[in-house]
Amino acid sequence: MPAVLPSTRGKAQPWAGAGLLSWFVPPVLAAEVAREAAAERDAVLAAAGGKVPRRRARLLPPWLAVYFTLALCLLACLPYQDALRSLAGDGAAGLAVPASTALTAARRRLGDRPLELLFWRVAGVLLPSRDPWATVRGLLVVAWDGTTLKAPASPENIAAFGRPRGGGRKPGGGKAPPVEGHYPHVRVVALIACGTRALLGAAIGPLADGEQKLAAALTGCLGPGMLLLADRGFWSHTLWRACSAAGADLLWRVKSDIRLPVRQPLPDGSWLSVVNGTREAHLRAMRNANRSSRGSRLPQEEGPLPGDTTLRVIEFLITVASEDGTARTERYRAVTTLLDWRRYPAADLAAAYARRWGIETAYREAKSYLAGSRVLRSRTPGLARQEIWALLITYQAIRALICHAAAGTGTDPGRLSFTTALHAARRTLGHGITAIQAAGDEILASPLPGRPPRTCARALADPARGYPSRKGKPQPLPQRIHCTVTITTPGTTTRQ
């Protein structure tokens, strides 16, 4: 039976949130986060000496506005009224669909706080497992990374989020002055479990907020038994220590210009090194320079700095050989808190870094497949944040549907198609909970084939940036590749 929740007008609306949405977000939970957010607003008004407004009985109560906002993300290509009709399903026959302005007003009354609270209620691994597809040497593999979403170019969004700036190219060659983009960008940093690609946490901010700043807000999602993977843009001594203090083990790629002196070579080709905070090192260098310039008799400061951190460095080469006989080699350098080389060999950790690509796949699924690579609907910052939280919740719901289908058969969730699950999830709207089982059977019936590693040359075709157009030229076909990982010892590297 569909979930039934009495509305504020005294009429039962059994169609609201049916299908995937009511299965993943029960109506009681939707009403709970709406009440909690309203209580927070009333407490702020009361503390400021304001008068708490009286709630009116409306045709679209807050719990129903939660479902409607989620349906807008699940049905990104439909306008407001059609999305509400799809959410109602069979009950839409006798439903007086409100105007789009009324539906927008319902979203404004709801605000972004209920969706944020709801996200943190549903965030999690979804399918706890110690299978090889989820772990490395017994550690749950998680990763974080950042992305941006385009918002409508309204004055409010531009002032709140900011627009990117980039340089173009002059027709005769050379670089043009920096040009400000049209759409404001909202920055999102997410933490996922690489095995299930489920969201463990997320942070939203303006474009000016760097990925490290938003990632620092997610350290509370980390814990013992996790192995956190991160790209080289996240390296920071402060962030590293904060993540280590949370209990998680770390495996991060770092830039080649970071000085990592060899303190102790290890038999597997890695070595132990010591890093310290840049602030402490900078202050010490300034004091030593001042003493030298003044001819001071005080000795130069030496020895370990307060807050020195010992870590293990793994440097390796990845050679990619294509079918056409071409090959390319790239050097990677990663640092980790796993200092025991016997229990965690360097070769295993170097191969485990490839798991980080799971978050790139998750972003592609959420932005390209679910959202349809479109600009957000919302023209105000509050509604834009609300839409992003709803997008993350909807993505998590589809991932939960995939994990639900995989749990009964022991299948790796990564072998199940996200697009198949997305289409099946859309067909559950307006139906009862029994549609979930049918959607799970449909997902299991079309697993992804086990393809060998492939590569495809990137095509840079942005006329605004001055790149030559590839229109009319044949696109390169994907080629099968063979990857080889070679650990380089401290004696063979040229950057020490």
Side-chain angles (χ1 to χ4, degrees), residues 266-484:
L266 299 177
D268 64 346
S270 60
W271 68 89
L272 299 182
S273 185
V274 175
V275 295
N276 50 61
T278 55
R279 177 176 175 80
E280 291 83 0
H282 179 66
L283 292 176
R284 171 186 281 186
M286 290 182 60
R287 289 193 296 267
N288 289 337
N290 289 335
R291 291 173 184 178
S292 299
S293 63
R294 296 196 308 264
S296 174
R297 297 182 180 180
L298 294 176
Q300 296 286 316
E301 296 184 20
E302 297 178 352
L305 286 166
D308 279 0
T309 302
T310 301
L311 46 78
R312 181 175 164 209
V313 185
I314 304 172
E315 196 168 72
F316 53 98
L317 301 174
I318 296 183
T319 303
V320 178
S322 304
E323 289 179 324
D324 58 3
T326 59
R328 58 184 177 90
T329 301
E330 186 174 354
R331 186 183 296 271
Y332 281 69
R333 177 187 282 187
V335 293
T336 180
T337 57
L338 301 172
L339 306 182
D340 188 352
W341 64 272
R342 293 182 179 87
R343 186 175 179 182
Y344 304 101
D348 291 356
L349 296 182
Y353 182 75
R355 302 277 193 96
R356 195 200 67 84
W357 196 253
I359 192 167
E360 304 288 355
T361 304
Y363 279 142
R364 180 187 62 183
E365 293 168 347
K367 295 173 60 176
S368 299
Y369 300 158
L370 179 57
S373 300
R374 61 177 180 82
V375 181
L376 299 176
R377 302 175 187 257
S378 309
R379 301 187 61 83
T380 61
L383 292 185
R385 287 189 291 267
Q386 179 196 78
E387 186 175 353
I388 295 174
W389 287 120
L391 177 65
L392 297 176
I393 295 170
T394 309
Y395 170 82
Q396 186 81 338
I398 299 173
R399 275 290 155 199
L401 181 61
I402 293 175
C403 293
H404 175 73
T409 60
T411 307
D412 178 1
R415 293 292 306 277
L416 301 180
S417 171
F418 183 86
T419 54
T420 300
L422 173 60
H423 297 319
R426 287 170 174 168
R427 285 189 287 270
T428 64
L429 292 183
H431 297 82
I433 301 300
T434 55
I436 299 300
Q437 185 61 41
D441 296 339
E442 181 180 349
I443 295 171
L444 290 174
S446 55
L448 296 174
R451 298 190 182 100
R454 298 179 301 170
T455 184
C456 184
R458 287 185 175 181
L460 300 177
D462 188 358
R465 301 292 185 185
Y467 293 111
S469 174
R470 297 183 64 92
K471 186 176 182 181
K473 297 183 180 180
Q475 295 294 323
L477 296 176
Q479 298 186 52
R480 294 184 179 181
I481 60 173
H482 177 72
C483 296
T484 304

Side-chain angles (χ1 to χ4, degrees), residues 198-223:
L199 294 169
L200 306 182
I204 301 173
L207 187 62
D209 287 351
E211 293 180 345
Q212 293 184 13
K213 179 180 179 180
L214 295 179
L218 301 179
T219 55
C221 303
L222 303 174

